[in-house]
Amino acid sequence: MDTTLILLKPDCVAGRKVGEVLKRFEAAGFQIRGCKMFCADVALLREHYAHIADKPFFPEVEAFMQSTPVIALALAGDNAVNRVRDIIGPTDSKKAAPGTVRGDFGVDVMVNIVHASDSPENAQIELNRFFKNGELFDYEMRYASKA
Ligand code: ADP
């Protein structure tokens, strides 16, 4: 079991796709260990997107990511990092296959519904970036849900 970091981006939150996207992750067996809504400030975005901060399109990404609140999720499951990346599809929504989250709900290379950690090492760094001590939970099902 590992845990990965997901961000539901402004097009997901404002576009009311949160339920649809979460449904896919839960149906794939992932457990929510953490969940929070917040407005991403410039410092956080520069840190999170340090690898693209010098790209000409970065100011646009920054504006997009600040256009509405976003939702961070910590999702746990077997091989979570790789399986979640498969479920969401490639960065460019136009190249993402139907049936993937970005293929079904994303618009283009920037407006692409979700962020997901790309390696277990980065997942650990990103979980620490978005969740404080005590904000990630471990629990077991004691009362079964219906169906
Ligand atoms: P991913 O989010 O799939 O890991 P990257 O780390 O390469 O992809 O890029 C981070 C985010 O920056 C992307 O999810 C997307 O929102 C935005 N982005 C990436 N490439 C471009 C581009 N060429 N033009 C505009 N936005 C981009």
Side-chain angles (χ1 to χ4, degrees), residues 9 48-49 51-52 55-58 60-61 64-65 85 88-92 102 108-118:
K9 297 186 180 187
H48 182 64
Y49 283 134
H51 62 292
I52 56 162
K55 303 277 188 204
F57 58 79
F58 183 69
E60 217 185 330
V61 171
F64 164 56
M65 291 298 292
R85 293 282 289 193
I88 70 174
T91 309
D92 188 348
R102 284 167 165 167
D108 55 26
V109 69
M110 182 177 80
V111 182
N112 61 2
I113 296 281
V114 284
H115 163 82
S117 306
D118 63 4

Side-chain angles (χ1 to χ4, degrees), residues 61-129:
V61 171
E62 224 172 16
F64 164 56
M65 291 298 292
Q66 291 190 290
S67 62
T68 74
V70 296
I71 294 172
L73 294 170
L75 292 185
D78 289 332
N79 196 16
V81 170
N82 293 326
R83 284 176 54 225
V84 163
R85 293 282 289 193
D86 287 345
I87 289 169
I88 70 174
T91 309
D92 188 348
S93 308
K94 287 183 176 147
K95 295 181 182 153
T100 64
V101 166
R102 284 167 165 167
D104 291 348
F105 305 119
V107 170
D108 55 26
V109 69
M110 182 177 80
V111 182
N112 61 2
I113 296 281
V114 284
H115 163 82
S117 306
D118 63 4
S119 68
E121 296 71 29
N122 282 338
Q124 203 47 61
I125 292 167
E126 293 176 355
L127 288 163
N128 290 335
R129 179 173 298 143

